Amino acid sequence: MTVAGVGEFGLIDRVTARLSYGESCLLGPGDDAAVVAAPDRRVVASTDVLVEGRHFRRDWSGARDVGHRAAAANLADIAAMGATPTALLVALCMPAELDPAWAEELADGLGAEAALVGASVVGGDMSASPTLTVAVTALGDLAGRAPVVRSGARPGDVVALAGRTGWAAAGYTVLSRGFRTPRLLVEAFRRPEVPYAAGPAAAEAGATAMIDVSDGLLADLGHVATASGVAIDLTRDAFEVPRQMRDAAQALGVDPYSWILAGGDDHALAATFPDGVALPAGWRPVGRVGAGAGVTVDGAEPEGPRGWDHFR
Amino acid sequence: MTVAGVGEFGLIDRVTARLSYGESCLLGPGDDAAVVAAPDRRVVASTDVLVEGRHFRRDWSGARDVGHRAAAANLADIAAMGATPTALLVALCMPAELDPAWAEELADGLGAEAALVGASVVGGDMSASPTLTVAVTALGDLAGRAPVVRSGARPGDVVALAGRTGWAAAGYTVLSRGFRTPRLLVEAFRRPEVPYAAGPAAAEAGATAMIDVSDGLLADLGHVATASGVAIDLTRDAFEVPRQMRDAAQALGVDPYSWILAGGDDHALAATFPDGVALPAGWRPVGRVGAGAGVTVDGAEPEGPRGWDHFR
């Protein structure tokens, strides 16, 4: 069976039948637009797109995995503003010969990841395309708080991290060398574990700046440093190399810190807090904000790659 | 110059430098997410994707035209709920060898169309892709009104239309036969003229159902008839064939009513109103709601195509 055989409206029916709707969803799929609760009188909105061959491969990730990851990438952006996600909208472009089961499982993954934070898939669009593409928009609610932007870091602030970094990059390296194990790393690439609750908690605790780590920790903290007009220095010892990662790094001949400091796709959250603030649950200190510019590790310019440019 | 040469962040800087922001935009591009005003405590949201070769061709439409059309398709969905658009988010997937000027002109078109209704492009994402793809999400505000859904049409209601139908389809036929004129028709395909204000006006006047005509009038009124559990009968004489369209139809050997009744992409609005309601400015009666199912023209099953399936 193919999506062309099922047809646009048939496929929409199949996919929407598998979705369920959270309480923020006031009007779900089936009309010209969805209606989503925005109790705060503001809505936080972010868009991220995954393209086959660039962000995922169908022989490396199942459709459900791709759904989880597409949702996670967007939901993490909402959390990084200090907001709680409420809804996802999905534009799905597919080759006409694709099995409709792929789209259905993608929807399952999107819905399951959104349900982790009480959000739901409320709308979308589908089209045929030679390139399998999943463009997701996430909406969220600030619950009366100011958004935590990238430009608020001040010298003296503590740099803290919630969630893990390097795992997805390690899994990507494992897969790209033709292996399927260690399973823990491969799974981390397929489905990131995002510390969603740490975003609003950081906002509540007075975080001065926050960012979703999607390009790599050095690159993303570089965005914070540039936007804030400050320097950031990371403490290498703050990053423990887990045993499985160390073993895989040794076997593959990779410096595990290149994964931890420059690998994207885990969707950890990085934030800065005023010195002396008790970090909320899930956050650990990893560095310090100073005067100046750029990101260093133990006071020195880091070697190796810093992150990822989606055109190069 | 290519987008790969400029790089992801360079291109984002170039594009965002060309945008301007309406008053609903509380935080624009440059952070993990945008923040948009939602004074109504609800937000209307819709996503539509345009794929090169399927929804547009670069030899038929300039980048600015594609921007206008991508924005219009989404803004019309918001208007069809009776809401006023506030913001657009754009996921842009491009071949690495694309001239960055194309992306910049696309942004100009998106921004200019959004500005017609006081909305602005507040965020987005970019990626390389073999297939040029523009996925847009539009947000809007209901200003305290109930959304006008597809399921509210009742027997006895008047069916009314705001805006024009058939023009974009006629322009598409002209272009697909290798012609570039009549210019009026070709321009209608490149940049639809959407009666945005007619959406909130219809909601205010008590419209019982409303839809954006994007698949073709017969197909889209079919969605209303199905969702409402009613029959819709159109009056053929209510649709005047403009001179340029009649001349082109004759030259091309096409029945102009196949454009008017089955052509999409003009993004007219169709709505149903209780009998006796004074139609707001811009709306004209074109038919009647009855008991039963399906859409007829002068009481008979219409011949020819009814609309467009994006997988066939």
Side-chain angles (χ1 to χ4, degrees):
Chain A
M1 207 185 308
T2 66
V3 294
V6 172
E8 182 180 5
F9 300 111
L11 189 56
I12 289 171
D13 287 346
R14 278 166 175 252
V15 164
T16 53
R18 302 170 80 94
L19 297 172
S20 60
Y21 305 100
E23 62 183 24
S24 290
C25 176
L26 306 178
L27 180 69
D31 223 290
D32 289 292
V35 183
V36 178
D40 178 79
R41 297 182 187 272
R42 297 168 297 174
V43 63
V44 179
S46 180
T47 290
D48 255 338
V49 61
L50 304 190
V51 177
E52 183 175 26
R54 185 155 282 267
H55 300 91
F56 67 91
R57 284 173 50 162
R58 269 186 278 168
D59 55 339
W60 287 4
S61 299
R64 196 181 292 255
D65 297 325
V66 176
H68 274 277
R69 191 136 74 85
N74 282 276
L75 298 168
D77 281 325
I78 301 301
M81 302 303 285
T84 301
T86 51
L88 298 179
L89 295 102
V90 184
L92 177 55
C93 306
M94 299 165 273
E97 66 277 11
L98 188 75
D99 186 331
W102 199 92
E104 292 171 28
E105 287 164 24
L106 177 87
D108 290 346
L110 286 162
E113 188 72 20
L116 293 176
V117 289
S120 42
V121 179
V122 300
D125 189 22
M126 291 183 185
S127 176
S129 168
T131 307
L132 185 53
T133 304
V134 187
V136 179
T137 298
L139 306 178
D141 182 63
L142 283 162
R145 290 182 297 267
V148 184
V149 295
R150 298 178 178 184
S151 56
R154 294 292 167 259
D157 283 356
V158 171
V159 179
L161 190 69
R164 54 196 199 175
T165 68
W167 288 69
Y172 176 87
T173 306
V174 165
L175 286 165
S176 64
R177 301 280 180 92
F179 301 109
R180 297 278 165 157
T181 58
R183 196 150 183 82
L184 215 59
L185 301 179
V186 170
E187 280 305 314
F189 168 77
R190 290 184 177 140
R191 299 191 189 184
E193 284 183 18
V194 183
Y196 297 113
E204 201 70 59
T208 51
M210 186 152 49
I211 194 164
D212 154 47
V213 181
S214 54
D215 293 327
L217 189 58
L218 293 173
D220 286 312
L221 286 176
H223 300 320
V224 171
T226 301
S228 299
V230 297
I232 286 178
D233 186 48
L234 294 176
T235 304
R236 189 175 162 112
D237 281 352
F239 299 91
E240 202 190 334
V241 183
R243 185 182 53 76
Q244 296 95 333
M245 196 188 286
R246 194 178 55 226
D247 293 349
Q250 197 160 19
L252 297 167
V254 173
D255 175 0
Y257 283 97
S258 74
W259 289 334
I260 289 173
L261 296 176
D265 285 333
D266 287 295
H267 299 292
L269 300 177
T272 56
F273 292 87
D275 195 22
V277 159
L279 297 183
W283 289 91
R284 60 187 193 279
V286 296
R288 186 64 80 165
V289 180
V295 182
T296 50
V297 179
D298 292 339
E301 191 67 25
E303 286 168 21
R306 300 178 69 96
W308 179 255
D309 183 313
H310 287 101
F311 287 114
R312 287 171 174 153
Chain B
M1 207 184 309
T2 66
V3 295
V6 172
E8 182 181 4
F9 299 112
L11 188 56
I12 289 172
D13 286 347
R14 279 167 175 252
V15 164
T16 53
R18 302 170 81 94
L19 297 171
S20 60
Y21 305 100
E23 63 182 24
S24 290
C25 177
L26 306 178
L27 179 69
D31 223 291
D32 289 291
V35 182
V36 178
D40 176 80
R41 297 184 188 270
R42 298 168 296 174
V43 63
V44 179
S46 181
T47 291
D48 254 339
V49 61
L50 304 191
V51 177
E52 183 176 27
R54 185 154 282 267
H55 301 91
F56 67 91
R57 284 173 51 161
R58 269 186 277 167
D59 56 339
W60 286 4
S61 298
R64 196 181 291 257
D65 297 324
V66 176
H68 274 277
R69 191 137 73 88
N74 282 276
L75 298 168
D77 281 325
I78 300 301
M81 302 303 286
T84 302
T86 52
L88 298 179
L89 295 100
V90 184
L92 178 55
C93 306
M94 300 165 272
E97 65 276 12
L98 188 75
D99 187 332
W102 199 93
E104 292 170 27
E105 287 164 25
L106 177 88
D108 289 347
L110 287 162
E113 188 73 20
L116 293 176
V117 289
S120 42
V121 179
V122 299
D125 189 22
M126 291 183 184
S127 176
S129 169
T131 307
L132 185 54
T133 304
V134 187
V136 179
T137 298
L139 305 179
D141 183 63
L142 281 162
R145 290 182 298 267
V148 184
V149 296
R150 298 177 178 184
S151 56
R154 293 293 167 258
D157 284 355
V158 172
V159 180
L161 189 69
R164 55 196 199 174
T165 68
W167 287 69
Y172 176 87
T173 305
V174 166
L175 287 165
S176 64
R177 302 278 179 93
F179 301 108
R180 297 276 164 159
T181 55
R183 194 148 185 85
L184 215 59
L185 301 179
V186 170
E187 280 305 315
F189 169 76
R190 290 184 177 139
R191 300 190 187 184
E193 284 182 18
V194 184
Y196 296 114
E204 202 69 60
T208 51
M210 185 153 48
I211 194 164
D212 155 48
V213 182
S214 54
D215 294 326
L217 188 59
L218 293 173
D220 286 312
L221 286 177
H223 300 322
V224 171
T226 302
S228 299
V230 298
I232 287 178
D233 186 49
L234 294 176
T235 304
R236 190 176 162 110
D237 280 352
F239 299 91
E240 202 190 333
V241 183
R243 188 183 50 78
Q244 296 93 335
M245 196 187 288
R246 194 180 54 226
D247 292 350
Q250 195 159 21
L252 297 166
V254 173
D255 175 1
Y257 283 98
S258 73
W259 290 333
I260 288 173
L261 296 176
D265 286 333
D266 286 295
H267 299 290
L269 300 177
T272 56
F273 293 86
D275 195 23
V277 159
L279 297 183
W283 288 92
R284 61 189 193 278
V286 296
R288 187 64 81 165
V289 180
V295 181
T296 49
V297 179
D298 291 339
E301 191 67 26
E303 285 168 21
R306 301 178 70 95
W308 180 253
D309 183 313
H310 288 101
F311 288 114
R312 286 173 174 150

